[in-house]
Amino acid sequence: MVEEGSTLLRRMEICVAEAEKRSGKNAMSMQETFTVYLIETRPMDAVAEGHNPAPDCLWRRYSEFELLRNYLIVTYPYIVVPPLPEKRAEFVWHKLSADNMDPDFVERRRVGLENFLLRVASHPVLSNDKILYHFLTEEHGWKEVVYETGFQAKADSRLRALSATFRVRNPDKRFMEMKHYSDELQSHTSQLLRARARVADRLYGVYKVHGNYGRVFSEWSAIEREMGDGLQSAGHHMDAYAASIDDILEEEEHYADQLKEYLSYAEALRAVCRKHELTQFELEMASQDLISKKQQREELSTGIVRTFSFKGMTNKLFGQEAPEQREARLKLLEDLIAEVVKAHIERAWVDIQRFKEQKDKDLREALISYAVMQISMCKKGIQVWSNAKECFLKM
Amino acid sequence: DKGQPWQNPTTTGNKSNLLHQMNTSLADGSPMPNSPSSLVNQYRLEDDDEGQKDANTKDIFIAVDNPESQVTAIETFIMYRVATRTTRSEFDSSEYEVRRRYQDFLWLRSRLEDNHPTLIVHPLPEKFVMKGMVERFNEDFIETRRKALHRFLNKISEHPILSYSQHFKVFLTAQVSDLASHKKQGPGFLSRMGETVRAVANSVRGLRSRPEEFAVMQEYVEDFSNKMCSMDKVTQRIVKEQREYLEELKQYSPTYAQWADLEEELADPLKGVVSCVVQCSKESEEQIHHLSEVLVPALHEYVLCAETLKAVMRRRDNIQAEFEAKNEALLSRKVDQEAVKEVDGLADRMEQANNALKGDWSRWQHSMRTDLRSVFISTAEKNVEYYEKVRQREISASDSNFTHTEKTQTELLFLFFF
């Protein structure tokens, strides 16, 4: 699931090995219980040489992972930053716990956090980040270092800007399409997850009710002579059938987690598209601003008021210059703006392409493993009912 | 035996049709959809002959079909066609076709029970469905009832004693008006009421003691009744859960289809999932159909059988109680020829009743075992079939979507695990 040929991950083995409950006082001096996760790292060359050094380790809680991710999002606005496992259990079906302290939930979160770190550490750009390295290696004082980068302020201003409505004059077609795609992807995956949860719920019901057959067959076998043995053993198979759904659905939860990851990825993708839009808008505004300032200056000096137009400017830009010189400078400015915009587009587009390839590969694998799961489930079903049939034949 | 001559049925337009159908099924051996033998085998997949009449030694075949609504000034009701084919010598003809309504079946059964109080007479479908307010003329209700009536007559025809009952013969052969006049004979309503009242009065005194084997039977009957009710309830619950599962599956496959439209590389694997979920839905419907049409009716029938058994036990007890009451009365009086004769008669009656029940008991047990075993087997087979078909679809869908490397990987997986 994770790329080869990356920097940090090549140098260092990373895993989220364990989870533990802790209690402590929170910011409001109230007692709270939370879970911490053990991050273990080992230098790759030591491992490769066959030494088995003890891993370096530190404990982090979910909120610290969140902090790291927020930092990365702000610092690398053009990168589709890998998502964290869900903050709260969503798309739960009835038997699945929505409780954050539930051991199954904690375990799935542990896997998700490890996955997050592996993806970040193997990313061609993100893996080089110093804050990431500190996160993995320095337990104490890391939070202060992150805050010192001042990313929070940038985050706030970005958020304000992004929430305003704005329109770009020359929207890049590819980004518009990508933004639309991310919306659709979010919509489809969340619908799918919702439907899957309901199907899981119903399937659970079907299997569990068969457990009642187990009970009744067993009781019934006690009063029968010739049929007793057959009924008794058939009952056991019914119990086994009813019990088998727990493992089946637990495995399926892993598939759901893979889809949830891409649901979150879709959000991250959308964010990149929006930030790009914002950047382009700001550049357009800045250049417009620059040009209008020039125009104002000229108008003041020449006393002539002209109507402004962005393209095909007719009035002088730089005052005393000859028309050809003015044309040349104007063209230069336009070209510069276009270059900057293009550079931003290309930078983001590279990562979006990388993301697209990763997504296709990962989801393809997920769908394949889903099929394998279903096939295995069918095999179990065939076995149980064939066994039951044998018992009935003996009745 | 009333010794009255019975008319041969008049040739109706349908009779030649019936002949044709029955002959065709004989000729090529494979049952036609409406022929008696295919319907008879409805619950019997393979007949184990363990001393029971099997398909080869059966000499009477009965079919109940063709429900038609009859409207009179007073009421509306359904008439069913009862078609009989037999080689028995007691029957003047080898084929009969008559029309009967539910009331006629009730009449037949009550006559059989009256004449043989301690034989186990197969139950009839219920008068009306209590829950769900099903209309009497609802198609599904009529079809369910028709099948049960068909089962009833065939069960009677397989009974070594009941199938030779005169009432049974009249039921199968008499035209509607003749049946009506036959019904009027025999003990009237009031006299039968009187018998019932006397029986109740006697049984109020209670039983001295039940012979051991009947005490065991009584306990079995109560337990069996509870188990059958539980089985019935559990199965109906499974059908309900299956239906709800199917509903959700129908919402599930479109989510993949819509997503597939959005994707390029992923379109094929996503469409593969669609085809698998659709197949799953299709097979689920088959499963539900089997459960509702085969397993539920069979279990329900044995719930009713359990009630029949309870009634048989009660009647046997009453016969014993009546004898004991008269016997006690006799002991406290002078020996009176009439009274002694009466008590002897009652003693004989009791012995006959007990023997009849004992004999019928093992026959019934065997029949119950055969019936339930066969529906359980067919249910298990249906479930295996379900999983096999879904698995097949999964495999073929995956197969077409894997790249070469993935195929090799998966083949290795299969070899390893499957």
Side-chain angles (χ1 to χ4, degrees):
Chain A
M1 257 210 286
V2 160
E3 282 180 7
E4 305 279 8
S6 51
T7 40
L8 183 60
L9 201 59
R10 267 229 281 229
R11 286 186 285 126
M12 180 195 260
E13 199 181 68
I14 304 171
C15 81
V16 177
E18 284 165 37
E20 252 180 40
K21 272 209 260 243
R22 294 279 163 81
S23 311
K25 284 211 162 42
N26 67 5
M28 285 166 285
S29 296
M30 280 168 47
Q31 196 71 12
E32 61 166 2
T33 324
F34 52 90
T35 312
V36 287
Y37 298 87
L38 183 67
I39 302 177
E40 286 182 353
T41 50
R42 275 201 302 197
M44 197 58 98
D45 42 23
V47 177
E49 283 160 24
H51 306 162
N52 210 3
D56 296 316
C57 48
L58 46 78
W59 294 92
R60 293 254 183 249
R61 50 187 295 193
Y62 185 81
S63 55
E64 291 175 272
F65 280 85
E66 276 183 305
L67 185 57
L68 171 65
R69 185 167 190 266
N70 288 339
Y71 161 79
L72 290 173
I73 288 174
V74 171
T75 315
Y76 302 93
Y78 308 109
I79 301 292
V80 182
V81 176
L84 286 170
E86 52 191 3
K87 198 170 168 73
R88 262 165 295 278
E90 304 226 14
F91 306 109
V92 290
W93 49 280
H94 109 272
K95 193 64 170 60
L96 210 59
S97 177
D99 175 19
N100 279 11
M101 299 303 279
D102 178 79
D104 285 335
F105 180 80
V106 167
E107 171 58 18
R108 289 189 5 252
R109 176 173 270 192
R110 182 195 66 74
V111 171
L113 291 174
E114 182 176 283
N115 191 45
F116 165 75
L117 288 180
L118 292 176
R119 286 209 192 274
V120 172
S122 63
H123 190 283
V125 174
L126 299 175
S127 61
N128 295 316
D129 189 270
K130 290 290 169 282
I131 298 288
L132 169 69
Y133 187 77
H134 284 164
F135 179 87
L136 294 169
T137 54
E138 312 261 338
E139 183 152 11
H140 305 291
W142 173 79
K143 270 205 202 163
E144 286 73 18
V145 177
V146 180
Y147 287 128
E148 268 167 29
T149 62
F151 86 95
Q152 204 80 65
K154 246 203 271 181
D156 293 339
S157 77
R158 274 272 138 174
L159 204 65
R160 266 199 305 276
L162 278 170
S163 52
T165 26
F166 54 85
R167 222 158 51 91
V168 174
R169 274 181 197 250
N170 297 312
D172 183 276
K173 185 156 170 279
R174 288 178 302 172
F175 274 87
M176 288 305 106
E177 277 172 9
M178 207 28 88
K179 191 171 82 160
H180 177 74
Y181 171 79
S182 72
D183 286 338
E184 293 282 297
L185 182 63
Q186 261 186 293
S187 157
H188 292 312
T189 43
S190 62
Q191 264 177 33
L192 196 156
L193 284 163
R194 211 169 299 126
R196 189 211 74 91
R198 285 200 297 258
V199 168
D201 208 18
R202 290 300 171 200
L203 191 62
Y204 183 82
V206 170
Y207 271 72
K208 285 302 177 191
V209 177
H210 280 82
N212 290 335
Y213 271 158
R215 182 181 46 83
V216 178
F217 277 166
S218 172
E219 289 166 6
W220 184 9
S221 74
I223 64 171
E224 297 289 341
R225 273 208 312 262
E226 289 94 344
M227 296 206 304
D229 289 340
L231 280 175
Q232 176 88 318
S233 21
H236 290 151
H237 292 301
M238 291 298 99
D239 285 333
Y241 183 69
S244 68
I245 191 67
D246 293 312
D247 283 345
I248 289 168
L249 287 178
E250 201 185 293
E251 229 192 305
E252 245 193 54
E253 218 43 54
H254 177 66
Y255 168 68
D257 283 341
Q258 289 175 294
L259 293 178
K260 281 179 196 174
E261 191 190 13
Y262 275 91
L263 175 61
S264 303
Y265 253 129
E267 257 182 73
L269 177 63
R270 184 178 209 280
V272 168
C273 295
R274 279 287 283 172
K275 274 177 268 181
H276 160 78
E277 254 186 311
L278 179 65
T279 306
Q280 184 166 348
F281 176 72
E282 283 173 346
L283 281 169
E284 284 179 354
M285 283 298 103
S287 72
Q288 227 177 314
D289 199 42
L290 180 68
I291 290 162
S292 96
K293 277 204 171 91
K294 291 278 183 194
Q295 181 190 11
Q296 276 175 7
R297 248 185 34 212
E298 167 163 294
E299 284 167 1
L300 277 174
S301 63
T302 63
I304 302 167
V305 177
R306 309 266 188 183
T307 35
F308 172 79
S309 76
F310 185 47
K311 277 196 183 330
M313 291 204 322
T314 54
N315 56 327
K316 297 183 204 176
L317 193 63
F318 298 110
Q320 310 302 321
E321 290 167 316
E324 311 81 48
Q325 283 174 308
R326 279 204 302 274
E327 291 290 328
R329 300 243 190 157
L330 178 61
K331 184 76 174 48
L332 191 64
L333 187 62
E334 279 183 353
D335 286 348
L336 269 170
I337 291 168
E339 281 297 316
V340 173
V341 172
K342 186 154 171 270
H344 279 117
I345 286 178
E346 289 315 315
R347 193 154 49 127
W349 197 250
V350 165
D351 198 59
I352 285 177
Q353 281 306 108
R354 184 205 59 78
F355 165 75
K356 182 175 179 295
E357 276 172 32
Q358 177 197 294
K359 169 203 69 138
D360 284 340
K361 181 163 170 284
D362 287 348
L363 288 176
R364 200 185 173 77
E365 266 176 45
L367 288 168
I368 289 170
S369 74
Y370 185 54
V372 169
M373 264 181 245
Q374 298 299 307
I375 292 168
S376 155
M377 181 175 118
C378 287
K379 181 171 178 258
K380 284 186 202 159
I382 291 168
Q383 212 160 50
V384 163
W385 286 103
S386 303
N387 290 340
K389 181 181 161 183
E390 289 305 307
C391 298
F392 293 139
L393 282 166
K394 289 200 203 106
M395 259 165 65
Chain B
D1 277 54
K2 304 298 180 282
Q4 286 202 6
W6 302 113
Q7 286 177 315
N8 284 338
T10 51
T11 312
T12 65
N14 280 338
K15 187 181 175 190
S16 52
N17 204 12
L18 179 69
L19 262 174
H20 175 75
Q21 276 182 5
M22 288 178 169
N23 283 340
T24 312
S25 82
L26 272 178
D28 64 11
S30 61
M32 287 196 31
N34 281 327
S35 80
S37 44
S38 72
L39 292 167
V40 158
N41 283 327
Q42 196 180 26
Y43 293 146
R44 300 258 189 111
L45 297 180
E46 287 124 32
D47 273 306
D48 292 321
D49 357 291
E50 285 169 337
Q52 298 280 339
K53 276 187 183 166
D54 69 356
N56 295 326
T57 66
K58 254 176 92 88
D59 55 5
I60 180 164
F61 296 87
I62 306 171
V64 177
D65 54 27
N66 199 11
E68 266 172 15
S69 187
Q70 301 283 308
V71 187
T72 70
I74 313 165
E75 54 175 347
T76 311
F77 54 88
I78 305 283
M79 286 287 242
Y80 301 85
R81 182 181 77 145
V82 177
T84 308
R85 185 164 54 84
T86 180
T87 54
R88 286 189 188 171
S89 49
E90 315 85 75
F91 288 82
D92 293 331
S93 174
S94 61
E95 280 167 20
Y96 294 90
E97 189 180 313
V98 295
R99 297 203 72 78
R100 296 286 178 253
R101 58 185 293 190
Y102 181 74
Q103 262 179 32
D104 298 332
F105 286 82
L106 281 177
W107 167 85
L108 172 64
R109 188 169 187 276
S110 82
R111 300 276 61 224
L112 291 173
E113 276 195 322
D114 287 346
N115 290 0
H116 309 277
T118 58
L119 288 186
I120 302 164
V121 181
H122 201 74
L124 279 172
E126 285 140 319
K127 272 207 171 101
F128 41 76
V129 182
M130 289 304 245
K131 52 182 168 178
M133 298 307 206
V134 174
E135 254 188 57
R136 276 192 306 136
F137 303 108
N138 171 288
E139 252 182 53
D140 286 337
F141 176 75
I142 292 171
E143 175 60 13
T144 309
R145 177 175 271 195
R146 183 198 66 76
K147 282 191 197 153
L149 294 175
H150 174 98
R151 282 274 290 168
F152 168 77
L153 288 180
N154 279 282
K155 281 288 187 184
I156 303 298
S157 78
E158 286 157 19
H159 195 288
I161 297 167
L162 297 174
S163 76
Y164 293 97
S165 153
Q166 188 63 5
H167 300 299
F168 186 53
K169 185 175 164 209
V170 170
F171 179 92
L172 292 176
T173 59
Q175 288 308 301
V176 175
S177 49
D178 293 325
L179 179 66
S181 43
H182 175 83
K183 279 190 190 182
K184 291 205 177 78
Q185 302 163 8
F189 178 69
L190 282 174
S191 77
R192 276 172 35 227
M193 269 297 279
E195 269 177 46
T196 315
V197 169
R198 270 199 300 281
V200 170
N202 286 326
S203 64
V204 164
R205 296 171 57 117
L207 218 50
R208 229 2 115 58
S209 67
R210 217 179 262 131
E212 174 67 21
E213 64 184 310
F214 296 118
V216 168
M217 238 184 242
Q218 178 75 24
E219 226 185 282
Y220 173 86
V221 165
E222 280 174 28
D223 289 335
F224 181 78
S225 172
N226 289 337
K227 294 315 136 207
M228 281 302 105
C229 287
S230 297
M231 284 298 296
D232 188 30
K233 274 201 207 104
V234 171
T235 309
Q236 294 206 33
R237 177 92 187 277
I238 288 177
V239 171
K240 176 168 167 287
E241 296 284 339
Q242 282 277 77
R243 285 212 169 106
E244 285 172 350
Y245 171 63
L246 183 59
E247 277 310 302
E248 295 302 342
L249 277 183
K250 288 188 177 156
Q251 310 281 328
Y252 188 41
S253 52
T255 63
Y256 284 96
Q258 283 160 19
W259 186 5
D261 288 339
L262 181 67
E263 297 284 344
E264 292 152 12
E265 285 295 308
L266 292 176
D268 283 341
L270 287 170
K271 284 184 190 153
V273 177
V274 174
S275 76
C276 292
V277 176
V278 165
Q279 181 79 7
C280 218
S281 303
K282 180 164 159 281
E283 297 305 322
S284 268
E285 284 194 42
E286 291 273 325
Q287 252 186 325
I288 292 168
H289 181 83
H290 174 90
L291 287 173
S292 334
E293 299 298 306
V294 175
L295 188 55
V296 168
L299 292 171
H300 194 65
E301 201 176 290
Y302 275 92
V303 169
L304 296 176
C305 270
E307 292 306 302
T308 302
L309 290 174
K310 285 181 186 168
V312 166
M313 299 304 297
R314 270 196 305 272
R315 287 196 291 265
R316 192 219 69 85
D317 284 350
N318 287 342
I319 290 171
Q320 180 177 332
E322 262 194 78
F323 159 74
E324 282 178 354
K326 283 281 150 68
N327 197 30
E328 255 181 65
L330 185 68
L331 293 172
S332 63
R333 283 198 314 229
K334 279 198 335 228
V335 174
D336 171 351
Q337 280 293 7
E338 276 303 312
V340 170
K341 238 173 54 171
E342 197 189 349
V343 169
D344 280 347
L346 287 174
D348 280 341
R349 181 164 160 249
M350 180 177 76
E351 199 181 316
Q352 263 176 35
N354 288 346
N355 289 338
L357 176 54
K358 270 190 268 189
D360 217 22
W361 183 253
S362 60
R363 183 202 63 83
W364 179 85
Q365 285 235 296
H366 173 84
S367 170
M368 179 269 286
R369 232 179 21 252
T370 312
D371 287 344
L372 291 181
R373 181 174 63 201
S374 107
V375 287
F376 289 156
I377 288 170
S378 77
T379 303
E381 282 175 347
K382 197 81 196 133
N383 287 336
V384 170
E385 194 187 305
Y386 166 86
Y387 282 112
E388 272 176 353
K389 287 209 182 137
V390 172
R391 176 169 164 267
Q392 207 37 56
R393 180 106 284 268
E394 296 274 352
I395 289 174
S396 65
S398 309
D399 207 42
S400 63
N401 279 317
F402 291 177
T403 60
H404 178 73
T405 25
E406 288 164 341
K407 262 191 190 159
T408 326
Q409 284 170 2
T410 325
E411 270 161 22
L412 288 171
L413 252 180
F414 280 173
L415 279 170
F416 194 63
F417 288 115
F418 309 128

